[in-house]
Coordinates of all heavy atoms in Angstrom, one line a residue:
M10 N 77.7 -19.2 139.7 CA 76.3 -19.5 140.1 C 76.4 -20.5 141.3 O 76.8 -21.6 141.2 CB 75.6 -20.2 138.9 CG 74.2 -20.4 139.2 SD 73.3 -21.2 137.8 CE 73.9 -22.9 138.0
R11 N 76.0 -20.0 142.4 CA 76.0 -20.8 143.6 C 74.6 -20.9 144.1 O 74.0 -19.8 144.4 CB 76.9 -20.2 144.7 CG 78.3 -20.7 144.5 CD 79.1 -20.4 145.8 NE 80.4 -21.1 145.7 CZ 80.6 -22.3 146.2 NH1 79.5 -23.0 146.7 NH2 81.7 -22.9 146.2
S12 N 74.0 -22.0 144.1 CA 72.7 -22.2 144.6 C 72.5 -23.4 145.4 O 73.1 -24.4 145.1 CB 71.7 -22.2 143.4 OG 70.5 -22.6 143.8
Q13 N 71.7 -23.4 146.4 CA 71.4 -24.5 147.2 C 70.4 -25.4 146.5 O 70.1 -26.5 147.0 CB 70.9 -24.1 148.6 CG 71.9 -23.5 149.5 CD 73.0 -24.5 149.7 OE1 72.8 -25.6 150.2 NE2 74.3 -24.1 149.4
K14 N 69.9 -25.0 145.4 CA 68.9 -25.8 144.7 C 69.4 -27.1 144.1 O 68.7 -28.0 143.9 CB 68.4 -24.9 143.5 CG 66.9 -25.1 143.2 CD 66.5 -24.1 142.2 CE 65.2 -24.5 141.5 NZ 64.8 -23.5 140.5
F15 N 70.8 -27.1 143.8 CA 71.4 -28.3 143.2 C 72.2 -29.0 144.2 O 72.7 -28.5 145.2 CB 72.2 -27.8 142.0 CG 71.3 -27.0 141.0 CD1 71.5 -25.6 140.9 CD2 70.4 -27.6 140.2 CE1 70.7 -24.9 140.0 CE2 69.6 -26.9 139.3 CZ 69.8 -25.5 139.3
G16 N 72.5 -30.3 143.8 CA 73.3 -31.1 144.7 C 74.8 -30.8 144.7 O 75.3 -29.9 143.9
A17 N 75.6 -31.5 145.5 CA 77.0 -31.2 145.7 C 77.8 -31.5 144.5 O 78.7 -30.7 144.1 CB 77.5 -31.9 146.9
S18 N 77.5 -32.6 143.8 CA 78.3 -33.0 142.7 C 78.2 -32.1 141.5 O 79.2 -31.8 140.8 CB 77.9 -34.5 142.3 OG 76.5 -34.6 142.1
I19 N 77.0 -31.6 141.2 CA 76.8 -30.7 140.1 C 77.4 -29.3 140.5 O 78.0 -28.7 139.6 CB 75.2 -30.5 139.8 CG1 75.1 -30.0 138.4 CG2 74.5 -29.7 140.8 CD1 74.8 -31.1 137.3
R20 N 77.4 -29.0 141.7 CA 78.0 -27.7 142.1 C 79.5 -27.7 141.9 O 80.1 -26.8 141.5 CB 77.7 -27.4 143.6 CG 77.3 -26.0 143.8 CD 76.6 -25.8 145.1 NE 77.1 -26.5 146.3 CZ 76.4 -27.2 147.1 NH1 75.1 -27.3 146.9 NH2 77.0 -27.8 148.1
K21 N 80.1 -28.9 142.2 CA 81.6 -29.1 142.0 C 81.9 -28.9 140.5 O 82.9 -28.3 140.2 CB 82.0 -30.5 142.5 CG 82.5 -30.5 143.9 CD 82.9 -31.8 144.4 CE 82.7 -31.9 145.8 NZ 82.7 -33.3 146.3
L22 N 81.1 -29.4 139.6 CA 81.3 -29.3 138.2 C 81.2 -27.8 137.7 O 82.1 -27.4 137.0 CB 80.3 -30.1 137.4 CG 80.5 -31.6 137.3 CD1 79.3 -32.2 136.6 CD2 81.7 -32.0 136.6
V23 N 80.3 -27.1 138.3 CA 80.1 -25.7 138.0 C 81.3 -24.9 138.5 O 81.8 -24.1 137.7 CB 78.8 -25.2 138.6 CG1 78.7 -23.6 138.5 CG2 77.6 -25.8 137.9
D24 N 81.7 -25.2 139.7 CA 82.9 -24.5 140.2 C 84.1 -24.7 139.4 O 84.9 -23.8 139.1 CB 83.2 -25.0 141.7 CG 82.2 -24.4 142.7 OD1 81.5 -23.5 142.3 OD2 82.2 -24.9 143.8
K25 N 84.3 -26.0 138.9 CA 85.4 -26.3 138.0 C 85.4 -25.5 136.7 O 86.4 -25.0 136.3 CB 85.4 -27.8 137.8 CG 86.8 -28.5 137.7 CD 86.6 -30.0 137.4 CE 87.7 -30.4 136.5 NZ 87.4 -31.8 136.0
A26 N 84.2 -25.5 136.1 CA 84.0 -24.8 134.8 C 84.3 -23.3 135.0 O 85.0 -22.6 134.2 CB 82.6 -25.0 134.3
I27 N 83.8 -22.7 136.1 CA 84.0 -21.3 136.4 C 85.5 -21.0 136.6 O 86.0 -20.0 136.1 CB 83.1 -20.8 137.5 CG1 81.7 -20.8 137.1 CG2 83.6 -19.4 138.0 CD1 80.7 -20.5 138.1
A28 N 86.2 -21.9 137.3 CA 87.6 -21.7 137.6 C 88.4 -21.7 136.2 O 89.3 -20.9 136.0 CB 88.1 -22.8 138.5
A29 N 88.0 -22.7 135.3 CA 88.7 -22.9 134.1 C 88.5 -21.6 133.2 O 89.3 -21.2 132.4 CB 88.2 -24.1 133.4
K30 N 87.3 -21.0 133.3 CA 86.9 -19.9 132.5 C 87.7 -18.6 132.9 O 87.9 -17.7 132.1 CB 85.4 -19.8 132.5 CG 84.8 -18.4 132.5 CD 83.3 -18.5 132.7 CE 82.7 -17.2 132.9 NZ 81.3 -17.1 133.0
R31 N 88.0 -18.6 134.2 CA 88.6 -17.4 134.7 C 90.2 -17.3 134.6 O 90.8 -16.3 134.7 CB 88.3 -17.2 136.2 CG 86.9 -16.6 136.4 CD 86.6 -16.3 137.8 NE 85.2 -15.9 137.9 CZ 84.4 -16.1 139.0 NH1 84.9 -16.7 140.0 NH2 83.2 -15.6 139.0
T32 N 90.8 -18.5 134.4 CA 92.2 -18.6 134.3 C 92.8 -18.1 133.0 O 92.0 -18.1 132.0 CB 92.8 -20.0 134.5 OG1 91.8 -20.9 134.2 CG2 93.3 -20.3 135.9
S33 N 94.0 -17.6 133.0 CA 94.7 -17.2 131.8 C 95.4 -18.4 131.2 O 95.9 -19.3 131.9 CB 95.7 -16.1 132.1 OG 95.0 -15.0 132.6
Y34 N 95.4 -18.4 129.8 CA 96.0 -19.5 129.1 C 97.2 -19.0 128.3 O 97.3 -17.8 128.0 CB 95.0 -20.2 128.2 CG 94.0 -21.0 129.0 CD1 92.8 -20.3 129.4 CD2 94.1 -22.3 129.4 CE1 91.8 -21.0 130.2 CE2 93.2 -23.0 130.1 CZ 92.0 -22.3 130.5 OH 91.1 -23.0 131.2
E35 N 98.1 -19.9 127.9 CA 99.2 -19.5 127.1 C 98.8 -19.3 125.7 O 98.1 -20.0 125.1 CB 100.3 -20.6 127.1 CG 101.7 -20.2 126.7 CD 102.7 -21.3 126.5 OE1 102.7 -21.9 125.4 OE2 103.4 -21.6 127.4
C36 N 99.3 -18.2 125.1 CA 99.0 -17.8 123.8 C 99.9 -18.6 122.8 O 101.1 -18.7 123.0 CB 99.3 -16.3 123.6 SG 99.1 -15.7 121.9
P37 N 99.2 -19.2 121.8 CA 100.0 -20.0 120.8 C 100.8 -19.1 119.9 O 101.7 -19.6 119.2 CB 99.0 -20.8 120.1 CG 97.7 -20.1 120.3 CD 97.8 -19.3 121.5
K38 N 100.6 -17.8 119.9 CA 101.3 -16.9 119.0 C 102.5 -16.3 119.6 O 103.6 -16.3 119.1 CB 100.3 -15.8 118.5 CG 99.8 -16.0 117.1 CD 99.0 -14.9 116.7 CE 99.2 -14.5 115.2 NZ 98.3 -13.4 114.9
C39 N 102.3 -15.7 120.8 CA 103.4 -15.0 121.5 C 103.9 -15.7 122.7 O 104.9 -15.3 123.4 CB 103.0 -13.6 121.8 SG 101.7 -13.5 123.0
F40 N 103.3 -16.9 123.1 CA 103.7 -17.7 124.2 C 103.6 -17.1 125.5 O 104.3 -17.5 126.5 CB 105.1 -18.4 123.9 CG 105.1 -19.2 122.6 CD1 105.7 -18.7 121.5 CD2 104.5 -20.4 122.6 CE1 105.7 -19.4 120.3 CE2 104.5 -21.1 121.4 CZ 105.1 -20.6 120.3
K41 N 102.9 -16.0 125.7 CA 102.7 -15.4 127.0 C 101.4 -15.9 127.6 O 100.4 -16.1 126.8 CB 102.6 -13.8 126.8 CG 103.9 -13.2 126.6 CD 103.8 -11.7 126.3 CE 105.0 -11.1 125.9 NZ 104.8 -9.8 125.3
V42 N 101.4 -16.0 128.9 CA 100.1 -16.5 129.5 C 99.2 -15.3 129.7 O 99.1 -14.7 130.7 CB 100.5 -17.1 130.9 CG1 99.2 -17.8 131.5 CG2 101.5 -18.2 130.7
K43 N 98.6 -14.9 128.6 CA 97.7 -13.7 128.6 C 96.4 -13.9 127.9 O 95.7 -13.0 127.7 CB 98.5 -12.6 127.8 CG 99.6 -11.9 128.6 CD 99.1 -10.8 129.4 CE 100.2 -10.1 130.2 NZ 99.6 -9.2 131.1
V44 N 96.1 -15.2 127.6 CA 94.8 -15.4 126.9 C 93.7 -15.5 127.9 O 93.7 -16.3 128.8 CB 94.9 -16.7 126.0 CG1 93.6 -17.0 125.3 CG2 96.0 -16.5 124.9
K45 N 92.7 -14.6 127.6 CA 91.5 -14.6 128.5 C 90.2 -14.8 127.7 O 90.2 -14.6 126.5 CB 91.4 -13.2 129.2 CG 92.4 -13.0 130.3 CD 91.8 -13.6 131.6 CE 92.3 -12.9 132.8 NZ 91.6 -13.5 134.0
R46 N 89.2 -15.3 128.4 CA 87.9 -15.6 127.7 C 87.2 -14.3 127.4 O 87.1 -13.4 128.3 CB 87.1 -16.4 128.7 CG 85.8 -16.9 128.1 CD 85.0 -17.7 129.1 NE 83.8 -18.3 128.6 CZ 82.6 -17.8 128.7 NH1 82.5 -16.6 129.2 NH2 81.6 -18.4 128.2
K47 N 86.8 -14.2 126.1 CA 86.2 -12.9 125.7 C 84.7 -13.1 125.8 O 83.9 -12.3 126.3 CB 86.6 -12.6 124.3 CG 86.4 -11.1 124.0 CD 86.9 -10.8 122.6 CE 86.6 -9.4 122.2 NZ 86.7 -9.2 120.8
S48 N 84.2 -14.2 125.1 CA 82.8 -14.6 125.2 C 82.7 -16.1 125.0 O 83.8 -16.8 125.0 CB 82.0 -13.8 124.2 OG 82.2 -14.3 122.9
N49 N 81.6 -16.6 124.8 CA 81.4 -18.1 124.7 C 82.2 -18.6 123.5 O 81.9 -18.4 122.4 CB 79.9 -18.4 124.5 CG 79.5 -19.7 125.0 OD1 80.4 -20.5 125.5 ND2 78.3 -20.0 125.0
G50 N 83.3 -19.4 123.8 CA 84.1 -20.0 122.8 C 85.1 -19.1 122.1 O 85.9 -19.5 121.3
V51 N 85.2 -17.8 122.6 CA 86.1 -16.8 122.0 C 87.1 -16.4 123.0 O 86.7 -16.0 124.1 CB 85.3 -15.6 121.4 CG1 86.3 -14.6 120.8 CG2 84.3 -16.0 120.4
W52 N 88.4 -16.5 122.7 CA 89.5 -16.2 123.6 C 90.3 -15.2 123.0 O 90.6 -15.2 121.8 CB 90.2 -17.5 123.9 CG 89.4 -18.5 124.6 CD1 88.5 -19.3 124.0 CD2 89.3 -18.8 126.0 NE1 87.9 -20.1 124.9 CE2 88.4 -19.8 126.2 CE3 90.0 -18.3 127.1 CZ2 88.1 -20.3 127.4 CZ3 89.7 -18.8 128.3 CH2 88.7 -19.8 128.5
E53 N 90.8 -14.2 123.8 CA 91.6 -13.1 123.2 C 92.9 -13.0 124.0 O 92.9 -13.1 125.3 CB 90.8 -11.8 123.3 CG 91.5 -10.7 122.5 CD 90.7 -9.4 122.6 OE1 90.2 -9.1 123.6 OE2 90.7 -8.7 121.5
C54 N 94.0 -12.8 123.3 CA 95.3 -12.6 124.0 C 95.4 -11.1 124.3 O 95.3 -10.2 123.5 CB 96.4 -13.0 123.0 SG 98.1 -12.7 123.7
R55 N 95.7 -10.9 125.6 CA 95.7 -9.5 126.1 C 97.1 -8.8 125.7 O 97.3 -7.7 126.0 CB 95.6 -9.4 127.6 CG 94.2 -9.9 128.1 CD 93.1 -8.8 128.0 NE 91.8 -9.4 128.0 CZ 91.1 -9.5 129.1 NH1 91.6 -9.0 130.3 NH2 89.9 -10.0 129.1
S56 N 98.0 -9.6 125.2 CA 99.3 -9.1 124.9 C 99.4 -8.8 123.4 O 99.7 -7.6 123.0 CB 100.4 -10.1 125.2 OG 101.7 -9.6 124.9
C57 N 99.2 -9.7 122.5 CA 99.3 -9.5 121.0 C 98.0 -9.3 120.3 O 98.0 -9.0 119.2 CB 100.1 -10.6 120.4 SG 99.3 -12.2 120.3
G58 N 96.9 -9.4 121.0 CA 95.6 -9.2 120.5 C 95.0 -10.3 119.6 O 94.0 -10.1 118.9
A59 N 95.6 -11.4 119.6 CA 95.2 -12.5 118.8 C 93.8 -13.0 119.4 O 93.7 -13.1 120.6 CB 96.2 -13.7 118.8
V60 N 92.9 -13.3 118.4 CA 91.6 -13.8 118.9 C 91.5 -15.3 118.5 O 91.8 -15.7 117.3 CB 90.4 -13.0 118.2 CG1 89.1 -13.6 118.7 CG2 90.5 -11.6 118.6
L61 N 91.3 -16.2 119.4 CA 91.3 -17.6 119.2 C 89.9 -18.2 119.5 O 89.2 -17.7 120.3 CB 92.3 -18.3 120.1 CG 93.7 -17.6 120.3 CD1 94.2 -17.8 121.6 CD2 94.6 -18.1 119.2
S62 N 89.7 -19.3 118.8 CA 88.4 -20.1 119.1 C 88.8 -21.2 120.0 O 89.9 -21.7 119.9 CB 87.8 -20.6 117.8 OG 88.7 -21.6 117.2
G63 N 88.0 -21.5 120.9 CA 88.3 -22.6 121.9 C 87.0 -23.1 122.5 O 85.9 -23.0 121.9
G64 N 87.1 -23.8 123.6 CA 86.0 -24.3 124.3 C 85.2 -23.2 124.9 O 85.6 -22.1 125.0
A65 N 84.0 -23.5 125.4 CA 83.1 -22.5 126.0 C 83.7 -22.0 127.3 O 83.6 -20.8 127.6 CB 81.7 -23.1 126.2
Y66 N 84.3 -22.9 128.1 CA 84.8 -22.6 129.4 C 86.3 -22.8 129.6 O 86.8 -22.4 130.7 CB 84.0 -23.3 130.5 CG 82.5 -23.1 130.4 CD1 81.6 -24.1 130.1 CD2 82.0 -21.8 130.7 CE1 80.3 -23.8 129.9 CE2 80.7 -21.5 130.5 CZ 79.8 -22.5 130.2 OH 78.5 -22.3 130.1
S67 N 86.9 -23.4 128.7 CA 88.4 -23.5 128.7 C 89.0 -23.4 127.3 O 88.3 -23.8 126.4 CB 88.9 -24.7 129.5 OG 88.8 -25.8 128.6
L68 N 90.2 -22.9 127.2 CA 90.7 -22.7 125.9 C 90.9 -24.0 125.1 O 90.6 -24.1 123.9 CB 92.1 -22.0 126.0 CG 92.8 -21.7 124.7 CD1 91.9 -20.8 123.8 CD2 94.1 -21.0 124.9
R69 N 91.3 -25.1 125.8 CA 91.4 -26.4 125.1 C 90.5 -27.4 125.8 O 90.4 -27.5 127.0 CB 92.9 -26.9 125.3 CG 93.8 -26.0 124.5 CD 95.0 -26.8 123.9 NE 95.6 -26.2 122.8 CZ 95.4 -26.7 121.5 NH1 94.7 -27.7 121.3 NH2 96.0 -26.1 120.5
T70 N 89.8 -28.1 124.9 CA 88.9 -29.1 125.4 C 89.2 -30.5 124.8 O 90.0 -30.5 123.8 CB 87.4 -28.8 125.0 OG1 87.3 -28.8 123.6 CG2 87.0 -27.5 125.6
E71 N 88.8 -31.5 125.4 CA 89.0 -32.9 124.9 C 88.5 -33.1 123.5 O 89.2 -33.6 122.6 CB 88.3 -33.9 125.8 CG 89.3 -34.8 126.6 CD 88.6 -35.7 127.6 OE1 88.0 -36.7 127.1 OE2 88.6 -35.3 128.8
A72 N 87.3 -32.6 123.2 CA 86.7 -32.7 121.9 C 87.5 -31.9 120.9 O 87.7 -32.3 119.7 CB 85.3 -32.2 121.9
G73 N 88.0 -30.7 121.3 CA 88.8 -29.8 120.5 C 90.1 -30.5 120.1 O 90.6 -30.4 118.9
E74 N 90.7 -31.2 121.0 CA 92.0 -31.9 120.8 C 91.8 -33.0 119.7 O 92.6 -33.1 118.8 CB 92.5 -32.6 122.1 CG 92.9 -31.6 123.2 CD 94.2 -30.9 122.9 OE1 95.0 -31.4 122.1 OE2 94.4 -29.9 123.6
I75 N 90.7 -33.7 119.8 CA 90.4 -34.8 118.9 C 90.2 -34.2 117.5 O 90.7 -34.6 116.5 CB 89.2 -35.6 119.3 CG1 89.5 -36.4 120.6 CG2 88.7 -36.6 118.2 CD1 88.3 -36.9 121.4
S76 N 89.4 -33.1 117.4 CA 89.1 -32.4 116.2 C 90.4 -31.9 115.5 O 90.5 -32.1 114.3 CB 88.1 -31.2 116.5 OG 88.2 -30.3 115.4
A77 N 91.3 -31.3 116.3 CA 92.5 -30.8 115.8 C 93.4 -31.9 115.2 O 94.0 -31.8 114.2 CB 93.3 -30.1 116.9
R78 N 93.4 -33.1 115.9 CA 94.2 -34.3 115.5 C 93.6 -34.8 114.1 O 94.4 -35.1 113.2 CB 94.1 -35.3 116.5 CG 95.3 -36.3 116.5 CD 95.5 -37.0 117.8 NE 94.3 -37.8 118.2 CZ 93.8 -37.8 119.4 NH1 94.4 -37.1 120.4 NH2 92.8 -38.5 119.8
V79 N 92.3 -34.9 114.0 CA 91.7 -35.4 112.8 C 91.9 -34.5 111.6 O 92.3 -34.9 110.6 CB 90.1 -35.6 113.0 CG1 89.4 -35.9 111.7 CG2 89.9 -36.7 114.0
T80 N 91.8 -33.2 111.9 CA 92.1 -32.2 110.8 C 93.5 -32.3 110.3 O 93.8 -32.2 109.1 CB 91.9 -30.8 111.4 OG1 90.6 -30.7 112.1 CG2 91.8 -29.7 110.3
K81 N 94.4 -32.5 111.3 CA 95.9 -32.7 111.0 C 96.1 -33.9 110.1 O 96.8 -33.8 109.1 CB 96.7 -32.8 112.3 CG 98.0 -32.1 112.2 CD 98.6 -32.1 113.6 CE 100.1 -31.9 113.6 NZ 100.7 -32.2 114.9
E82 N 95.4 -35.0 110.4 CA 95.6 -36.2 109.7 C 95.1 -36.0 108.2 O 95.7 -36.5 107.3 CB 94.8 -37.4 110.3 CG 95.5 -38.0 111.5 CD 96.9 -38.5 111.2 OE1 97.0 -39.3 110.2 OE2 97.8 -38.2 111.9
Y83 N 93.9 -35.3 108.1 CA 93.4 -35.1 106.8 C 94.3 -34.2 105.9 O 94.5 -34.4 104.8 CB 92.0 -34.4 106.9 CG 90.9 -35.4 106.9 CD1 90.2 -35.7 108.1 CD2 90.5 -36.1 105.8 CE1 89.2 -36.6 108.2 CE2 89.4 -37.0 105.8 CZ 88.8 -37.2 107.0 OH 87.8 -38.2 107.1
A84 N 94.9 -33.2 106.6 CA 95.8 -32.3 105.9 C 97.0 -33.0 105.4 O 97.5 -32.7 104.3 CB 96.2 -31.2 106.8
K85 N 97.4 -34.1 106.1 CA 98.6 -34.8 105.8 C 98.3 -35.7 104.5 O 99.2 -35.8 103.7 CB 99.0 -35.7 106.9 CG 100.5 -35.5 107.4 CD 100.9 -36.5 108.4 CE 100.6 -36.1 109.8 NZ 100.9 -37.2 110.8
S86 N 97.1 -36.3 104.5 CA 96.8 -37.2 103.4 C 96.5 -36.5 102.1 O 96.4 -37.1 101.0 CB 95.6 -38.1 103.8 OG 94.5 -37.3 104.1
E87 N 96.2 -35.2 102.1 CA 95.9 -34.5 100.9 C 97.0 -34.4 99.9 O 98.2 -34.1 100.3 CB 95.4 -33.0 101.2 CG 94.1 -33.0 101.9 CD 92.9 -33.2 100.9 OE1 92.8 -32.4 99.9 OE2 92.1 -34.1 101.1
Ligands
LIG105 ZN1 99.6 -13.5 122.2

């Protein structure tokens, strides 16, 4: 989305999100850089077919990392 309607700073954020959404990520299952965005928050490995949940525009997000860490801590204390 490129529009002159918005300012430079917001356009930079959009460009960054679009770039993050288009890149391939490393698959946690087969370790190949083949994970592509399928739809909002859904990522699919083009090599082994694994479907992963992730951020809307990138596979790993800051909030996701925190959530994973908290879940791990809870699993340990059980
Ligand atoms: Zn894979």
Side-chain angles (χ1 to χ4, degrees):
M10 188 180 78
R11 271 194 170 273
S12 165
Q13 286 301 304
K14 213 171 162 185
F15 306 105
S18 51
I19 199 97
R20 225 162 43 229
K21 265 178 207 163
L22 282 175
V23 169
D24 285 349
K25 216 178 142 192
I27 288 172
K30 141 183 170 178
R31 281 185 186 151
T32 23
S33 296
Y34 292 88
E35 195 188 85
C36 176
K38 256 184 143 178
C39 64
F40 301 104
K41 282 177 191 164
V42 187
K43 283 273 180 187
V44 178
K45 281 279 207 174
R46 186 181 187 268
K47 204 179 174 196
S48 72
N49 210 355
V51 182
W52 298 79
E53 190 181 40
C54 178
R55 297 279 163 95
S56 181
C57 68
V60 180
L61 314 149
S62 67
Y66 302 113
S67 80
L68 184 56
R69 292 212 156 256
T70 61
E71 245 174 78
E74 296 282 342
I75 293 163
S76 161
R78 202 160 59 224
V79 169
T80 314
K81 217 174 159 187
E82 283 301 311
Y83 269 107
K85 237 189 269 173
S86 62
E87 286 287 301

